[in-house]
Amino acid sequence: MPHHCCVPLCHSNSKYTTGVSYHQILTKKRSPELVEKWIKAMRRDVGRNFELNTSTELCSRHFTKDDYNSESEDEVEVVEEEAAKKRKNPQLKKEAVPSVFENFPKHLQEQSPKRKEPAKRDFEPPPAKRRKTRATRKEAAAESACGAPEDSCSHCGCVEGLQKQIHDLSAEVCTLRAKVDALKSAPSMSVHKYLEDDSKIKYYTGFPTAALFMACFSFLHQAAQGMRSWQGERTLLDTPRTTLKTGRKGKLGLIEQFFVVMLRLRLDLDVEDLADRFGVSDSTISRIFTTWINLMYFKMKELPMWMSRRKVNKYMPLSFRKWFPSTRVIVDATEFFIERPSSLARQTASWSDYKNHNTYKLLIGISPDGCVTFVSRLFEGSISDRHLTQVSGLLDLLERNDSVMADKGFDIQDVLATVGVRLNIPPKRKGDRQFEPDQVLKTKKIAAVRIHVERAIQRVKLFRIVSHVLPSSLQGVAEQIVFVAAALCNFQGGLAC
C-alpha cells in the first residue's frame, strides 16, 4: 500500500517520491497531547475533510535532523540517499513536532526569532598610575575635608540651591493642594459670583440691580441674625426665646441663605437641586426656605404698602388725573394652582370652575402708578369675586369719596356704596343692544388704564414658584409665598401708565 503525506500542499508519495520516509501520527508511543501538537503544526482541523486514522502519515521533509534520535542520524542520511533499499524508518525523538513547511505561505511558516547581536561597548582603559606629587597630595586633602573630590567642591553650592528649590516647591504643592481641597468642598454656586453682574442678579432673583438685592438683604439682616430656624411643630410662637437653643452655626451664611430663598422663589428650583448647588442636605434647604419665607413675610408686613390719599394724588399719572382722578386702587382677582388636597372637603372647596383645577384665590390691588398696595389673604378657589371683596379687608382701607376700578365681572357696587366708595367698571351690554358711543368711549378709557393691574399680576407670576402647581409640602406657607412675591414686585418700580 503506497504511503502519502497528509500535510497541505505537500505531494510526497511513496510511489512517485524517493528519498523520503513516512511517520504515522497515531501510534501507541505518541501521546494525545503530542498528536494535537502535530495537527496544530500542520494547520489542519479534524473533521469531515480530514479524518485521523492509523494510515495518516507525515513525511520526513517536515522534520529537522534535530528531531531524530542521535543514533538514527546515519539512518536519515541513508534514507535520503537509498530509501528504496531501507526498510526501517528512522526513529523520531519522543517529543518531536513537525516544523518544516516549505510549501506553506510565508505568514504560516513559523520562524524562530533571530537573536540580536550584542551592542558594541567601548571600554576606556584604566587611568595610568601617576606618582604622587605635592599637588596630588593637596587634592587628596581637599577631598578628605569636604567628603568629595576637589572638582565636586565647586558644585556644593549648586546642590544646596537645588535642595532649597525642592523645599520651596514642596511647600507650594502643599498650598495648592489645600486650595484644591477647599474648592472641592466649596459650593458650586455662590451669590458673590453675581454681585458684580446686574443681569445675573435679575435673572436669579428678580431684583433689577445688585444694589437693590443688597438693600433688601440689609433690611432683613438685623432680624435674620436673631431668628430661630424652623423645626416643624416644635417651633412654637409662644415659646419664650430664652428657652430656645440657638444651635451650631450653619454652613451657609445669611446672605447665601437669602440667595437660596430668592432662587427658589424666582426659578422654582427643586430642593435637591439647591442642595447640590450649595453643598448641603435637602433638609437644610427646606429649613432655610421655611424660616426665611416667614421672616420676610412678617418684616414686609411692617412696610406701609397701602398708600394714603395724598401720596396717590402725588404720583397719579396724567391718564388717571384726567379721566379718573378719584381712583384709589385698581383691583382684580387671581388664582394659583395647587396640588389636589387629600381631603374630599378641601377638594370641593378649592375647585375652580373657571380654571378647571384646584386653586387658591386672592384679591390684588395696585395704585394708579402701578405699585402693589393691597394683597389679601388666600381663599379657596370656589369663592366668588363679590364674596372675596367683602372678606378681603379692602373695605376697611377705603375712604369716603374714593373710587375703585375693576373688571366688569366685579358686581360690587352695592358693597362699596356702604362705605361711600364708587365703582368704575366697563359698562355691560343689555340684551342684544349695541353699546352707545359714550359707552364705547368709557370702555376704551377704563380698559386702557385697568390693564396695568393685569401687568402687576403677571409680575407676581414671574416668580415661578407661584406660576407652577404649588405642592402640598408648601401649602402651609402658601400665603407667605404669595405675599412676599407681590411685595418684591415693588422693588422693580412702578408700571409706566
Side-chain angles (χ1 to χ4, degrees), residues 16-85:
Y16 303 104
T17 309
T18 59
V20 176
S21 61
Y22 298 88
H23 306 280
Q24 291 182 355
I25 297 178
L26 296 178
T27 60
K28 295 181 180 180
K29 296 181 179 181
R30 199 160 288 118
S31 63
E33 291 80 6
L34 186 59
V35 171
E36 185 176 354
K37 290 181 180 181
W38 279 37
I39 296 172
K40 185 177 180 180
M42 292 188 298
R43 306 293 197 274
R44 297 295 298 266
D45 294 325
V46 178
R48 184 178 63 179
N49 297 326
F50 178 64
E51 296 182 0
L52 197 62
N53 50 44
T54 55
S55 62
T56 307
E57 298 174 328
L58 272 74
C59 67
S60 59
R61 290 180 176 177
H62 306 296
F63 296 93
T64 62
K65 289 184 178 181
D66 296 335
D67 293 331
Y68 292 93
N69 291 326
S70 57
E71 60 271 12
S72 61
E73 289 181 359
D74 297 335
E75 296 181 3
V76 174
E77 296 178 357
V78 172
V79 167
E80 292 179 354
E81 296 176 357
E82 302 178 356
K85 299 179 181 180

Side-chain angles (χ1 to χ4, degrees), residues 406-409 424-428 435 439 442-443 446-447 450:
D407 188 21
K408 60 184 177 181
N424 287 323
I425 61 174
K428 296 181 180 180
F435 283 147
Q439 292 178 325
K442 183 179 180 181
T443 301
I446 294 177
R450 200 200 65 83

Side-chain angles (χ1 to χ4, degrees), residues 128-390:
K129 295 182 179 180
R130 58 176 179 171
R131 185 179 178 182
K132 288 187 177 182
T133 61
R134 184 176 296 178
T136 57
R137 285 195 294 269
K138 288 182 179 180
E139 293 176 1
E143 181 178 351
S144 61
C146 65
E150 184 179 3
D151 294 339
S152 63
C153 287
S154 60
H155 299 289
C156 290
C158 296
V159 172
E160 293 177 357
L162 291 174
Q163 290 177 348
K164 182 179 179 181
Q165 187 177 1
I166 291 172
H167 181 270
D168 295 341
L169 291 174
S170 300
E172 184 178 359
V173 168
C174 294
T175 304
L176 293 175
R177 284 179 178 174
K179 290 182 178 179
V180 170
D181 294 338
L183 289 175
K184 287 181 178 179
S185 60
S188 61
M189 193 171 192
S190 174
V191 66
H192 300 289
K193 297 180 181 179
Y194 311 112
L195 288 179
E196 301 298 327
D197 191 344
D198 289 343
S199 62
K200 292 292 185 182
I201 288 293
K202 184 176 181 180
Y203 172 75
Y204 284 117
T205 66
F207 288 98
T209 62
L212 285 174
F213 172 83
M214 293 304 299
C216 184
F217 174 71
S218 300
F219 168 69
L220 301 169
H221 182 258
Q222 185 176 359
Q225 287 181 321
M227 68 180 176
R228 297 171 292 174
S229 295
W230 177 258
Q231 302 292 336
E233 295 180 355
R234 292 176 296 172
T235 310
L236 302 177
L237 294 177
D238 56 350
T239 305
R241 180 176 293 273
T242 55
T243 62
L244 291 173
K245 297 181 180 179
T246 56
R248 63 183 181 88
K249 186 178 180 180
K251 182 177 180 180
L252 299 179
L254 292 178
I255 191 170
E256 296 286 357
Q257 294 179 22
F258 179 58
F259 188 52
V260 166
V261 175
M262 293 307 303
L263 283 173
R264 191 155 196 216
L265 286 174
R266 189 68 177 179
L267 302 180
D268 194 22
L269 298 180
D270 293 334
V271 171
E272 295 81 0
D273 186 6
L274 289 170
D276 184 60
R277 289 171 186 255
F278 289 89
V280 295
S281 63
D282 298 354
S283 59
T284 299
I285 296 295
S286 297
R287 184 168 59 251
I288 288 173
F289 181 78
T290 306
T291 303
W292 271 86
I293 202 66
N294 282 284
L295 173 70
M296 295 170 70
Y297 174 77
F298 288 112
K299 289 298 293 182
M300 290 181 178
K301 275 282 189 179
E302 299 175 1
L303 297 175
M305 183 177 287
W306 181 257
M307 296 175 65
S308 65
R309 178 77 259 178
R310 183 178 60 83
K311 288 186 177 180
V312 171
N313 292 336
K314 181 179 179 180
Y315 299 106
M316 183 175 290
L318 292 176
S319 57
F320 278 91
R321 195 183 301 275
K322 183 177 180 180
W323 302 106
F324 309 101
S326 62
T327 302
R328 185 73 176 273
V329 66
I330 310 167
V331 298
D332 198 4
T334 186
E335 299 182 63
F336 302 97
F337 291 163
I338 62 171
E339 190 176 353
R340 186 175 63 181
S342 57
S343 170
L344 293 178
R346 287 198 60 201
Q347 288 182 26
T348 304
S350 62
W351 180 257
S352 172
D353 292 330
Y354 178 64
K355 296 292 185 179
N356 199 28
H357 201 280
N358 295 97
T359 64
Y360 280 147
K361 193 172 184 179
L362 78 158
L363 189 69
I364 288 184
I366 66 170
S367 62
D369 63 335
C371 293
V372 178
T373 57
F374 179 78
V375 182
S376 73
R377 293 174 42 243
L378 292 183
F379 296 91
E380 307 288 355
S382 60
I383 191 172
S384 65
D385 293 342
R386 180 184 177 87
H387 189 204
L388 176 63
T389 306
Q390 291 175 330

